[in-house]
Amino acid sequence: MDDCIFCQIVDGDIPSRTVYEDGDVMAFLDANPLAPGHTLVIPKDHHETLNDLPDDTAAEVFAALHDLTPAVEAAVDADGSNVAFNNGAAAGQEVPHVHGHVVPRFEDDGGNPIHAVAGQRPDLSDDELDGIAADIEAER
Ligand code: AMP
Ligand code: ZN
């Protein structure tokens, strides 16, 4: 994808502070960090969302997140981290090349947990929850 920022980083056409690279995956510092050490983990091949990732690529991306998260936390002496994907434009994804965020967190940093990302919590009955669970199971 010629006009994709992250494909251009993979190709070396845009500079990045790369912290990890192998044949399938790359990780680099976010250019506009939410915290020191904020790192993005991407597949090298262009896929827009998590839903588009082939199984083996998804496994490679998760393995890199699993490996890098403790390294990121240790490097900036963080107390924890939020590890998350903005999956699709409706969820706030701005760069349409799938990427996992590792955002280091610090005691009393004033931030919020992942529970804060959505709008108002829905008030769902037990029947509605049962129906949603069954629908998800059926969609797989
Ligand atoms: P998202 O909203 O999940 O698509 O996040 C995109 C992220 O990419 C943002 O946190 C940006 O700061 C980051 N970003 C955009 N351009 C670059 C770049 N050239 N190098 C590193 N990070 C970038
Ligand atoms: Zn791309």
Side-chain angles (χ1 to χ4, degrees), residues 25 41 53 56-68 83 85:
V25 173
V41 178
L53 281 186
D56 55 344
T57 309
E60 295 289 347
V61 169
F62 189 82
L65 283 166
H66 179 246
D67 180 57
L68 284 163
V83 181
F85 292 77

Side-chain angles (χ1 to χ4, degrees), residues 5-6 9 14-15 28-32 38 40 86 92-95 99 101:
I5 295 171
F6 289 173
I9 287 176
I14 291 179
F28 48 86
L29 295 187
D30 194 295
N32 187 23
H38 182 174
L40 302 176
N86 291 325
Q93 184 178 359
E94 292 178 355
V95 177
H99 51 282
H101 293 257

Side-chain angles (χ1 to χ4, degrees), residues 1 4-8 44-47 96-97:
M1 285 276 290
C4 171
I5 295 171
F6 289 173
C7 282
Q8 290 174 66
K44 286 187 165 179
D45 288 344
H46 184 88
H47 301 283
H97 180 133

Side-chain angles (χ1 to χ4, degrees), residues 114-131:
I114 200 86
H115 308 86
V117 298
Q120 205 172 345
R121 284 180 190 246
D123 187 17
L124 297 167
S125 68
D126 284 346
D127 281 351
E128 287 170 317
L129 290 167
D130 288 344

